[in-house]
Amino acid sequence: MQGHDITDQRKLERERERLATIVEQSSDWIGVANGEGIVTFLNEAGQKMLGLSPDRIGKVQGSEFFMPEDLKYLPTPIYPTLMQEGRWEGPFRYRHFETGEAIPIHYNLFTIKHPGDRAVTTFASVSRDLRAALAQEDALVALSASERAARLVTEATQAEHAFLDDAIPVQVWTAMPNGRLSHVNQRVVTYFGRDRAYTRHVGRDDDRDLG
């Protein structure tokens, strides 16, 4: 019986070690705070994200991790939802301890309760840094805007050329190798007395005196 207990204990210890390894190697911010809001654990990814040295763990309040202007959202809606539902999840911002940079995150905060009286004893969070994702979105938006601007410039240039082309007091046309006209100016359209689409499909064999 004693040997069985020792085996179970070793299995439990191995599971705890495996879980600790996963937490430490995670690229996400993983932290734990006690009931008073003191952060008692922060994995390596979280420390690097916020520029927080390991010796400060256990000495800082959870509220110090956020941008000052965002603290007003803690009393409502975050804290009431957290205590009522056991979880709050949504976009938020951390504050870099050295530079003061605002770090956009997906914030997943939840409570851990005592197995007996179900009182909240611990707060834990898993947060994802959104800076790279948002930068990629901004790059795509900028690329789309650049492409749209280029298209507008092209359209404006084509319109300007068309205006100048039609203003020339002589017939201007171009033809494809098969003899079909690929472009005609207004002088040619007026000459044939038909619309531009029809006139462009007139073959050179049908031309009366173009050029």
Side-chain angles (χ1 to χ4, degrees), residues 21-34:
T21 300
I22 293 173
V23 170
E24 280 299 338
Q25 293 185 353
S26 172
S27 60
D28 289 338
W29 191 104
I30 299 177
V32 176
N34 61 23

Side-chain angles (χ1 to χ4, degrees), residues 113-151:
K113 298 180 179 180
H114 189 279
D117 59 14
R118 306 298 296 166
V120 175
T121 59
T122 307
F123 300 97
S125 64
V126 179
S127 304
R128 175 155 297 180
D129 188 344
L130 297 180
R131 285 175 294 184
L134 293 176
Q136 185 176 17
E137 288 182 8
D138 290 343
L140 291 175
V141 170
L143 177 61
S144 177
S146 176
E147 291 176 344
R148 181 173 180 273
R151 185 172 67 252

